[in-house]
């Protein structure tokens, strides 16, 4: 963060951005504005020079074919992204981006993909396909007394195998989640989290956006305090959207054969 501007690094927006993932970046920008924090959004494409500094990193959803197309670039930038996370920079990885941020994406055809290694986990393809509304109780640190209940949508056929001692992102209220035995979803590493929750997740769950921005600004010695009046309208939209998911979550289809 320089000159009071928060740098948001959006990794592979073209290849890993098939589920409205720019909405997560937009939510961070709008929410920061409501706390009088200016932002710069930097997009990283394969082959570019990865910025040496960032305050939040966003990795969106994408198919296995996109991950394979990135080739050696994933290995090249994996170490710097791990360093960002280790230094307390929140990495928000969603859908296929979460898979890619684990140690490896294990494919049923044997052509595995080495991941960024931000999360000590493996993404094993070929699990039961889960396509449904998603309701969770997150374990990610939030501001004050903010509700831990979050909602969204999941669409994946991946089993997430967490390493020893890795904290899940959330406990599953309704949905498939990691599909590895326990009813949990995603992973947390410090101030970073990975999840298959789409929607996109941050606009649907402003309290989570606040948690990410609070972590990013605390690292820089700055307080994060959004103005409730300036966020009232988008908070209401998000609240109504989550209420609709809660209303229909048990009536929607749960899986695709």
């Amino acid at each position: 963060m320089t000159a009071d501007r928060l740098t948001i690094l959006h990794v592979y927006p073209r290849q890993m951005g098939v589920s409205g993932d720019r909405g997560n970046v937009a939510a961070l920008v709008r929410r920061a504005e409501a706390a009088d924090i200016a932002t710069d959004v930097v997009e990283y494409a394969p082959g570019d020079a990865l910025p040496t500094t960032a305050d939040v990193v966003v990795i969106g959803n994408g198919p296995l074919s996109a991950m394979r197309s990135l080739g050696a670039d994933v290995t090249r930038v994996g170490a710097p992204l791990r360093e960002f996370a280790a230094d307390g920079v929140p990495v928000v990885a969603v859908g296929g981006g979460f898979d890619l941020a684990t140690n490896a994406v294990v494919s049923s055809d044997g052509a595995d993909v080495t991941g960024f290694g931000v999360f000590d986990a493996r993404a094993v393809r070929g699990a039961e396909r889960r396509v449904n509304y998603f309701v969770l109780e997150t374990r990610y640190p939030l501001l004050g007394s903010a509700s831990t209940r979050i909602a969204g949508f999941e669409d994946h056929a991946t089993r997430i195998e967490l390493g020893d001692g890795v904290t899940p992102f959330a406990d599953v209220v309704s949905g498939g989640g990691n599909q590895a035995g326990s009813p949990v979803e995603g992973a947390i590493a410090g101030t970073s989290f990975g999840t298959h929750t789409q929607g996109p997740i941050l606009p649907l769950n402003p309290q989570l956006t606040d948690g990410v921005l609070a972590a990013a600004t605390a690292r820089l010695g700055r307080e994060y305090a959004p103005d409730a009046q300036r966020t009232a309208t988008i908070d209401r939209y998000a609240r109504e959207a989550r209420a609709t998911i809660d209303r229909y979550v048990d009536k929607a289809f749960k899986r695709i054969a």
Side-chain angles (χ1 to χ4, degrees):
M1 185 175 181
T2 58
D4 292 328
R5 300 185 73 86
L6 202 72
T7 299
I8 301 169
L9 175 60
H10 191 179
V11 176
Y12 303 144
R14 185 171 181 180
Q15 293 83 4
M16 306 295 290
V18 301
S19 301
D21 300 300
R22 290 181 187 273
N24 289 322
V25 175
L28 290 165
V29 170
R30 291 287 300 277
R31 206 77 180 175
E33 287 176 353
D36 293 320
I37 298 173
T39 56
D40 285 323
V41 176
V42 178
E43 296 188 349
Y44 172 77
D48 289 352
L50 189 76
T52 58
T53 61
D55 301 305
V56 182
V57 178
V58 177
I59 311 168
N61 187 33
L64 184 59
S65 58
M67 299 181 208
R68 288 173 171 164
S69 74
L70 297 167
D73 196 78
V74 173
T75 303
R76 184 175 70 87
V77 301
L81 291 179
R82 291 193 297 274
E83 289 175 10
F84 281 150
D87 287 343
V89 174
V91 176
V92 177
V94 179
F98 171 37
D99 294 350
L100 193 61
T102 67
N103 297 325
V105 182
V106 181
S107 174
S108 57
D109 64 8
D112 299 347
V113 176
T114 299
F116 293 129
V118 171
F119 303 100
D120 182 16
R122 296 197 317 161
V124 182
R125 293 299 181 103
E128 178 183 65
R129 187 162 198 88
R130 303 291 303 200
V131 183
N132 48 260
Y133 292 119
F134 215 8
V135 179
L136 308 167
E137 290 284 348
T138 186
R139 302 189 192 183
Y140 190 80
L142 303 178
L143 283 177
S145 59
S147 173
T148 58
R149 176 68 66 98
I150 65 174
F153 194 83
E154 67 173 336
D155 179 2
H156 68 100
T158 303
R159 183 176 73 254
I160 298 294
E161 298 176 350
L162 300 178
D164 292 340
V166 175
T167 300
F169 168 67
D171 297 288
V172 175
V173 176
S174 182
N178 287 350
Q179 302 196 83
S182 300
V184 297
E185 160 60 17
I188 292 174
T191 60
S192 300
F193 71 83
T195 178
H196 282 111
T197 314
Q198 301 171 25
I201 185 173
L202 294 186
L204 269 173
N205 302 278
Q207 74 274 34
L208 186 58
T209 313
D210 286 342
V212 171
L213 289 170
T217 53
R219 172 178 171 270
L220 302 167
R222 177 166 179 173
E223 182 182 3
Y224 171 72
D227 185 330
Q229 288 188 328
R230 292 161 68 181
T231 64
T233 299
I234 56 176
D235 285 352
R236 176 171 58 83
Y237 289 155
R239 188 167 55 250
E240 291 173 353
R242 293 195 307 275
T244 298
I245 290 173
D246 277 332
R247 189 178 307 120
Y248 291 108
V249 67
D250 291 327
K251 299 178 176 64
F253 52 87
K254 297 294 181 182
R255 60 184 60 85
I256 291 179

